[in-house]
Amino acid sequence: MEMKKSLFDEIIHSSSGFGYETGGFVGVCGNKICVWAFDEGVRGAREGVYCPNKNKFYFMISSWREIGVTCLGIVHTHLNGNPQLSQGDVRYINSIFDRNGNLVKMFFPIVIPDKEIHVYGSRRKDGEVLIQLVPLKIIMYSRSLFVPDFVR
């Protein structure tokens, strides 16, 4: 998995202002994380737990599909620099796959604000959901899609 340095910097530095267990969505074009959008999440959710806004998620799916995004991911921050998926994260990933029978793969980056991003890929294989850490390569420049600001 690849990501432009400018997008990487935008995600890790803007995430520091939102606190832990906040998040957003990433769009994947081929093998690159190419766009992202912050999401305030659902108000009234348990404190310390990021619950994505489903309406914004579905809006991003339809908007990004038009510019060539082929896969989506849900990104969130973790407290104390813990790069591992929590048990709650794993349950959430499995529940997404359980509710969406035709879903083949999805990504779940964890952001350590101002430091790093750890990308977990999940995919369905033989009826099971497999989750693994995906190496992230930061690239200085690449030819990529023009993404209008309103989509970010």
Short mmCIF file of all heavy atoms in Angstrom, two decimals, residues 4 9 24 29-30 52 65 70 72 78 81 90 96 98 100 118 120 122 126 128 130:
data_model
loop_
_atom_site.label_atom_id
_atom_site.label_comp_id
_atom_site.label_asym_id
_atom_site.label_seq_id
_atom_site.Cartn_x
_atom_site.Cartn_y
_atom_site.Cartn_z
N LYS A 4 0.90 9.16 -0.77
CA LYS A 4 1.74 10.34 -0.98
C LYS A 4 2.07 10.99 0.36
O LYS A 4 1.25 11.02 1.27
CB LYS A 4 1.01 11.35 -1.87
CG LYS A 4 0.98 10.94 -3.32
CD LYS A 4 0.19 11.84 -4.23
CE LYS A 4 0.27 13.29 -3.95
NZ LYS A 4 -0.48 14.10 -4.92
N ASP A 9 1.05 13.43 5.71
CA ASP A 9 1.24 14.54 6.64
C ASP A 9 -0.09 15.18 7.01
O ASP A 9 -0.33 15.52 8.18
CB ASP A 9 2.16 15.60 6.03
CG ASP A 9 3.61 15.15 5.97
OD1 ASP A 9 3.97 14.19 6.68
OD2 ASP A 9 4.38 15.76 5.20
N GLY A 24 -12.23 9.06 10.33
CA GLY A 24 -12.67 9.48 9.02
C GLY A 24 -12.59 8.33 8.05
O GLY A 24 -12.55 7.17 8.45
N CYS A 29 -7.19 3.91 -4.45
CA CYS A 29 -7.17 3.85 -5.91
C CYS A 29 -6.05 2.90 -6.29
O CYS A 29 -4.88 3.24 -6.09
CB CYS A 29 -6.91 5.22 -6.52
SG CYS A 29 -8.06 6.49 -5.98
N GLY A 30 -6.40 1.72 -6.77
CA GLY A 30 -5.36 0.74 -7.07
C GLY A 30 -4.72 0.28 -5.79
O GLY A 30 -5.37 -0.29 -4.93
N PRO A 52 -18.38 5.75 13.18
CA PRO A 52 -18.50 6.54 11.95
C PRO A 52 -19.93 6.98 11.67
O PRO A 52 -20.88 6.27 12.00
CB PRO A 52 -18.01 5.59 10.86
CG PRO A 52 -17.25 4.53 11.56
CD PRO A 52 -17.84 4.42 12.93
N ARG A 65 -16.47 7.18 -5.81
CA ARG A 65 -16.58 6.22 -6.91
C ARG A 65 -16.44 6.94 -8.25
O ARG A 65 -15.84 6.43 -9.18
CB ARG A 65 -17.91 5.48 -6.84
CG ARG A 65 -18.04 4.37 -7.88
CD ARG A 65 -19.34 3.60 -7.74
NE ARG A 65 -19.36 2.88 -6.47
CZ ARG A 65 -20.41 2.84 -5.66
NH1 ARG A 65 -21.52 3.48 -5.96
NH2 ARG A 65 -20.36 2.16 -4.54
N THR A 70 -11.69 2.67 -5.66
CA THR A 70 -12.19 1.31 -5.79
C THR A 70 -12.43 0.61 -4.46
O THR A 70 -13.04 -0.44 -4.40
CB THR A 70 -11.21 0.45 -6.61
OG1 THR A 70 -9.93 0.49 -5.96
CG2 THR A 70 -11.09 0.98 -8.03
N LEU A 72 -12.71 1.38 0.06
CA LEU A 72 -12.77 2.35 1.15
C LEU A 72 -12.16 1.79 2.42
O LEU A 72 -12.02 0.59 2.59
CB LEU A 72 -14.22 2.74 1.44
CG LEU A 72 -14.80 3.81 0.53
CD1 LEU A 72 -16.29 3.87 0.70
CD2 LEU A 72 -14.19 5.15 0.82
N HIS A 78 -5.71 6.32 17.85
CA HIS A 78 -5.60 5.55 19.09
C HIS A 78 -4.86 6.36 20.13
O HIS A 78 -3.93 7.12 19.81
CB HIS A 78 -4.85 4.24 18.86
CG HIS A 78 -5.74 3.09 18.53
ND1 HIS A 78 -5.28 1.80 18.54
CD2 HIS A 78 -7.04 3.02 18.18
CE1 HIS A 78 -6.27 0.98 18.22
NE2 HIS A 78 -7.34 1.70 17.98
N GLY A 81 -0.41 6.03 21.57
CA GLY A 81 0.46 5.48 20.54
C GLY A 81 0.32 4.00 20.29
O GLY A 81 1.22 3.38 19.75
N VAL A 90 -11.61 -5.24 16.06
CA VAL A 90 -11.76 -6.51 15.34
C VAL A 90 -13.23 -6.92 15.28
O VAL A 90 -13.72 -7.35 14.23
CB VAL A 90 -10.88 -7.62 15.99
CG1 VAL A 90 -11.18 -8.98 15.38
CG2 VAL A 90 -9.40 -7.27 15.85
N ILE A 96 -18.98 -5.47 10.16
CA ILE A 96 -19.15 -4.84 8.84
C ILE A 96 -19.24 -5.92 7.77
O ILE A 96 -20.11 -5.88 6.90
CB ILE A 96 -18.00 -3.86 8.54
CG1 ILE A 96 -18.13 -2.63 9.44
CG2 ILE A 96 -18.00 -3.45 7.07
CD1 ILE A 96 -16.95 -1.68 9.35
N ASP A 98 -20.06 -9.08 8.23
CA ASP A 98 -21.28 -9.87 8.45
C ASP A 98 -22.50 -9.20 7.84
O ASP A 98 -23.37 -9.88 7.29
CB ASP A 98 -21.53 -10.08 9.96
CG ASP A 98 -20.54 -11.04 10.59
OD1 ASP A 98 -19.83 -11.76 9.85
OD2 ASP A 98 -20.46 -11.05 11.84
N ASN A 100 -22.52 -7.07 5.33
CA ASN A 100 -22.34 -6.77 3.91
C ASN A 100 -21.76 -8.00 3.22
O ASN A 100 -20.55 -8.09 3.01
CB ASN A 100 -21.41 -5.57 3.74
CG ASN A 100 -22.00 -4.32 4.37
OD1 ASN A 100 -22.87 -3.70 3.80
ND2 ASN A 100 -21.53 -3.98 5.56
N HIS A 118 -0.71 3.03 10.73
CA HIS A 118 -0.60 1.58 10.57
C HIS A 118 -1.87 1.13 9.85
O HIS A 118 -2.97 1.34 10.35
CB HIS A 118 -0.49 0.89 11.93
CG HIS A 118 0.73 1.32 12.68
ND1 HIS A 118 1.91 0.64 12.62
CD2 HIS A 118 0.96 2.40 13.47
CE1 HIS A 118 2.82 1.26 13.36
NE2 HIS A 118 2.26 2.34 13.88
N TYR A 120 -4.33 -1.68 8.40
CA TYR A 120 -4.78 -3.07 8.49
C TYR A 120 -5.72 -3.32 7.33
O TYR A 120 -6.66 -2.55 7.10
CB TYR A 120 -5.49 -3.35 9.82
CG TYR A 120 -4.51 -3.34 10.97
CD1 TYR A 120 -4.21 -2.16 11.63
CD2 TYR A 120 -3.88 -4.51 11.38
CE1 TYR A 120 -3.28 -2.14 12.66
CE2 TYR A 120 -2.97 -4.50 12.41
CZ TYR A 120 -2.67 -3.31 13.05
OH TYR A 120 -1.76 -3.29 14.07
N SER A 122 -8.41 -5.95 5.53
CA SER A 122 -9.29 -7.07 5.85
C SER A 122 -9.92 -7.54 4.54
O SER A 122 -10.24 -6.75 3.66
CB SER A 122 -10.36 -6.64 6.85
OG SER A 122 -11.07 -5.54 6.36
N ASP A 126 -12.87 -17.66 1.74
CA ASP A 126 -13.50 -18.93 2.15
C ASP A 126 -14.44 -18.76 3.33
O ASP A 126 -14.44 -19.55 4.27
CB ASP A 126 -12.42 -19.98 2.47
CG ASP A 126 -11.52 -20.28 1.29
OD1 ASP A 126 -12.01 -20.23 0.14
OD2 ASP A 126 -10.32 -20.55 1.52
N GLU A 128 -14.39 -16.62 5.72
CA GLU A 128 -13.82 -16.02 6.92
C GLU A 128 -13.25 -14.65 6.61
O GLU A 128 -12.87 -14.37 5.48
CB GLU A 128 -12.71 -16.91 7.48
CG GLU A 128 -13.22 -18.21 8.05
CD GLU A 128 -12.15 -18.90 8.88
OE1 GLU A 128 -11.42 -18.20 9.61
OE2 GLU A 128 -12.06 -20.12 8.78
N LEU A 130 -10.23 -12.23 7.10
CA LEU A 130 -8.81 -12.22 7.46
C LEU A 130 -8.37 -10.77 7.64
O LEU A 130 -8.68 -9.92 6.80
CB LEU A 130 -7.98 -12.89 6.37
CG LEU A 130 -8.38 -14.30 5.98
CD1 LEU A 130 -7.54 -14.79 4.82
CD2 LEU A 130 -8.24 -15.24 7.17
#
